[in-house]
């Protein structure tokens, strides 16, 4: 063959190797979720790609066999065709010793560059742009290649499987998707403009329902407003006027002896019926849903759905009431507060100097989001900002007690009967701050 024929054959080998490289990346990078959606839409090629991904050993054996054979053949052909050409070209201006070696090196560099550029780098980058579309476009030729090399790939796979078993390597592919992976996809969608920032927060908050317990979003015991069975009408009217609540627990003397709850709509019906006077005993006291404080928000949502209730009493392991939770509380966790700006900023408030005032009852997840913190020590041991401080201080908190973490100082500024009401969070300026330290000015 002349030089032109050699180059034509070499070009065909480069294209064949490029095709195999492209299909390898496309089939490995094609996402199962997207392929499943395409298959459900009626595209049979997507189903074939998923089937091949599930049993990919034959394809990769055939692909590697073809790539290595083409690379070796291309090297032999390229060196045989190009070495005399470079030798003649070098003779025009150099005829000294080592000319054969230089011609060989030039032919080797040329063939290697040709294969790396057109058979490896460019095809793989093209496949990474749209792996699902590429995989479906090449699936039929790929299946033909697999049938063509099946005897060789079968033998290679047998040897490979034997070696894997010998070294105890599990070759089962895991298709499990974690929350971190979903969060990364959602964040990528937000950065690409497919999702709005608010939609991204909604999706992430929905997944947080599985990890957050009811204590992180309930109305705590000291803030629960309840009616006593013997409470006079004037006191009931005053509580309804002072607190914009639709449901009030009814207790027998103390909050831990819950009888049920009253819906203020029942009182409204009486007032609209011109019954200006009423007694608590005359109202419908509904049975309260009692739930343990260990339930997650996701489990709480299921309880509300199954019981057709929207209000529940939260108790601890000693049967003491620790708070109340409503369906609206869970919706606020997902969608954020929709009240006035003052209501929305009750728990976290940024000051002009860049520091933050944070309510002690602020859920840990909300505090991390506001302060842009990646993690807190032993997060599973507490639910709120006050819990974080109590855990880190290892003592009853006092004003000016402080904790430093991730370049921030958390300082107790207000304590109400041993309960942390408010924290002051400042970013430290010195660069040599240790990851975590605890201190107190009033020990």
């Amino acid at each position: 063959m002349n030089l032109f024929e050699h180059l034509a054959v070499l070009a065909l080998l480069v294209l064949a190797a490029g095709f195999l490289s492209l299909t390898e990346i496309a089939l490995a990078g094609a996402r199962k979720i997207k392929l499943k959606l395409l298959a459900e839409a009626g595209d049979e090629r997507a189903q074939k790609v998923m089937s091949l991904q599930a049993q990919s050993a034959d394809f990769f054996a055939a692909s590697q066999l073809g790539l290595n054979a083409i690379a070796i053949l291309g090297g032999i052909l390229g060196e045989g065709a190009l070495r005399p050409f470079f030798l003649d070209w070098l003779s025009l201006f150099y005829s000294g010793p080592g000319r054969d070696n230089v011609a060989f090196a030039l032919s080797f560099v040329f063939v290697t560059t040709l294969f790396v550029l057109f058979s490896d780098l460019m095809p793989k980058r093209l496949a990474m742009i749209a792996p699902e579309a590429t995989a479906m476009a090449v699936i039929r030729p790929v299946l033909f290649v697999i049938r063509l090399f099946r005897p060789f790939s079968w033998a290679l796979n047998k040897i490979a499987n034997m070696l894997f078993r010998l070294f105890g390597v599990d070759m089962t592919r895991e298709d499990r998707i974690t929350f971190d992976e979903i969060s990364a996809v959602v964040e990528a969608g937000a950065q690409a403009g497919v999702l709005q920032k608010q939609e991204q927060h909604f999706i992430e908050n929905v997944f947080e329902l599985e990890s957050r317990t009811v204590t992180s979003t309930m109305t705590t015991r000291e803030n629960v407003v309840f009616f006593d069975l013997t409470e006079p009408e004037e006191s009931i009217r005053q509580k309804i006027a002072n607190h914009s609540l639709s449901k009030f627990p009814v207790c027998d003397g103390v909050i831990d002896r819950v009888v049920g709850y009253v819906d203020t709509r029942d009182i409204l019906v009486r007032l609209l019926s011109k019954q200006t006077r009423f007694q608590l005993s005359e109202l419908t006291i509904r049975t309260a849903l009692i739930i343990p404080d260990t339930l997650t928000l996701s489990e709480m949502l299921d309880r509300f759905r199954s019981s057709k209730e929207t209000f529940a009493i939260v108790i601890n392991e000693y049967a003491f009431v620790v708070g109340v939770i409503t369906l609206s509380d869970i919706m606020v966790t997902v969608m954020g507060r929709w009240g006035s700006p003052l209501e929305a900023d009750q728990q976290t408030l940024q000051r002009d100097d860049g520091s933050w005032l944070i309510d002690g009852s602020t859920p840990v997840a909300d505090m991390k989001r506001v302060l842009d913190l990646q993690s807190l020590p032993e997060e599973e041991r507490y639910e709120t900002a006050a819990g974080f401080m109590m855990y880190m201080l290892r003592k009853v908190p006092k004003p000016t007690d402080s904790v430093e973490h991730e370049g921030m100082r958390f300082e107790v500024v207000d304590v109400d009967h041993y309960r942390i009401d408010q924290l002051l969070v400042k970013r430290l300026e010195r660069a040599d701050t240790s990851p975590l330290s605890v201190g107190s000015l009033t020990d």
Side-chain angles (χ1 to χ4, degrees):
M1 292 191 294
N2 56 32
L3 179 62
F4 176 78
E5 292 172 336
H6 276 87
L7 291 176
V9 174
L10 190 61
L12 290 175
L13 292 175
V14 168
L15 290 175
F19 171 78
L20 293 175
S21 296
L22 181 139
T23 54
E24 270 193 347
I25 295 297
L27 289 169
R31 290 163 291 187
K32 187 175 181 180
I33 294 177
K34 196 167 183 179
L35 290 170
K36 188 175 181 179
L37 292 174
L38 292 169
E40 290 174 352
D43 196 328
E44 62 175 9
R45 297 176 302 168
Q47 185 60 52
K48 290 180 179 179
V49 173
M50 288 193 294
S51 300
L52 186 57
Q53 284 181 333
Q55 302 290 334
S56 58
D58 287 342
F59 166 70
F60 284 113
S63 174
Q64 289 303 309
L65 188 63
L67 282 171
N68 283 281
I70 290 172
I72 294 171
L73 183 59
I76 295 172
L77 183 65
E79 192 275 335
L82 297 175
R83 185 177 178 183
F85 170 77
F86 283 116
L87 194 61
D88 294 339
W89 178 70
L90 287 171
S91 300
L92 298 177
F93 52 86
Y94 178 72
S95 58
R99 187 177 57 178
D100 286 345
N101 293 332
V102 174
F104 172 77
L106 288 174
S107 63
F108 172 78
V109 169
F110 179 83
V111 173
T112 301
T113 303
L114 199 65
F115 270 89
V116 169
L117 185 61
F118 295 104
S119 297
D120 196 62
L121 183 61
M122 290 179 64
K124 288 181 177 179
R125 289 182 64 178
L126 286 172
M128 289 172 63
I129 295 173
E132 294 84 13
T134 305
M136 290 191 298
V138 301
I139 186 62
R140 290 189 177 91
V142 165
L143 294 176
F144 172 76
V145 171
I146 291 174
R147 287 194 292 270
L148 185 65
F149 287 95
R150 189 174 297 278
F152 303 101
S153 61
W154 178 85
L156 291 175
N157 279 324
K158 284 294 184 183
I159 297 172
N161 291 336
M162 182 180 65
L163 293 174
F164 284 137
R165 283 195 297 270
L166 180 65
F167 292 103
V169 180
D170 185 9
M171 295 306 296
T172 304
R173 173 173 171 165
E174 274 194 30
D175 289 323
R176 184 179 60 186
I177 300 177
T178 64
F179 167 71
D180 290 335
E181 292 171 335
I182 296 175
S183 182
V185 171
V186 171
E187 185 175 356
Q191 292 176 353
V194 178
L195 293 174
Q196 295 182 4
K197 200 69 177 177
Q198 190 66 24
E199 293 172 333
Q200 178 189 2
H201 288 322
F202 288 168
I203 295 171
E204 290 177 347
N205 290 343
V206 167
F207 282 98
E208 279 188 6
L209 297 182
E210 285 288 347
S211 58
R212 291 177 60 171
T213 61
V214 292
T215 55
S216 69
T217 192
M218 70 181 182
T219 301
T220 54
R221 176 189 178 98
E222 61 271 17
N223 295 318
V224 173
V225 182
F226 66 93
F227 297 155
D228 187 78
L229 277 175
T230 59
E231 191 155 356
E233 179 187 344
E234 291 304 321
S235 177
I236 293 175
R237 287 176 179 271
Q238 192 63 39
K239 286 183 178 180
I240 294 174
N242 292 340
H243 304 279
S244 56
L245 303 172
S246 62
K247 297 175 177 65
F248 291 85
V250 178
C251 304
D252 186 6
V254 294
I255 190 173
D256 294 313
R257 299 176 65 180
V258 179
V259 176
Y261 74 92
V262 169
D263 195 321
T264 53
R265 288 178 297 180
D266 296 337
I267 299 176
L268 178 61
V269 169
R270 283 182 170 272
L271 294 176
L272 292 176
S273 301
K274 298 182 180 180
Q275 299 180 23
T276 57
R277 310 298 297 177
F278 62 86
Q279 295 293 327
L280 189 59
S281 58
E282 299 172 354
L283 301 176
T284 302
I285 299 179
R286 305 169 188 266
T287 303
L289 179 63
I290 309 295
I291 57 103
D293 60 357
T294 54
L295 289 187
T296 65
L297 293 179
S298 178
E299 291 171 328
M300 187 69 251
L301 201 58
D302 289 336
R303 292 289 184 92
F304 280 148
R305 186 184 298 110
S306 60
S307 65
K308 305 296 189 297
E309 287 285 351
T310 60
F311 178 86
I313 306 292
V314 184
I315 64 172
N316 62 14
E317 58 182 313
Y318 304 106
F320 291 146
V321 173
V322 295
V324 299
I325 187 170
T326 67
L327 182 60
S328 295
D329 294 329
I330 300 178
M331 292 302 100
V332 166
T333 302
V334 175
M335 305 183 66
R337 297 185 180 273
W338 52 77
S340 66
L342 179 61
E343 292 173 347
D345 293 337
Q346 282 179 346
Q347 292 190 313
T348 58
L349 174 66
Q350 187 170 25
R351 306 198 304 178
D352 293 337
D353 62 357
S355 62
W356 288 88
L357 284 175
I358 296 181
D359 190 274
S361 62
T362 304
V364 168
D366 294 343
M367 183 174 71
K368 286 170 56 182
R369 184 181 298 114
V370 167
L371 300 178
D372 195 23
L373 295 173
Q374 296 300 316
S375 63
L376 293 173
E378 304 288 340
E379 290 181 38
E380 68 279 1
R381 295 181 178 270
Y382 43 86
E383 297 284 347
T384 64
F388 163 67
M389 293 298 294
M390 295 275 287
Y391 177 77
M392 298 309 304
L393 290 169
R394 298 295 196 191
K395 65 174 186 175
V396 177
K398 295 178 291 186
T400 70
D401 285 348
S402 64
V403 169
E404 293 179 8
H405 176 66
E406 286 193 13
M408 290 186 172
R409 181 188 296 276
F410 299 78
E411 183 178 337
V412 179
V413 296
D414 189 19
V415 177
D416 180 16
H417 195 64
Y418 306 119
R419 186 179 71 87
I420 298 176
D421 265 352
Q422 204 167 55
L423 303 177
L424 176 63
V425 183
K426 291 182 178 179
R427 189 170 294 279
L428 300 175
E429 306 222 343
R430 60 181 186 273
D432 57 344
T433 305
S434 60
L436 179 64
S437 60
V438 179
S440 174
L441 299 179
T442 59
D443 289 342

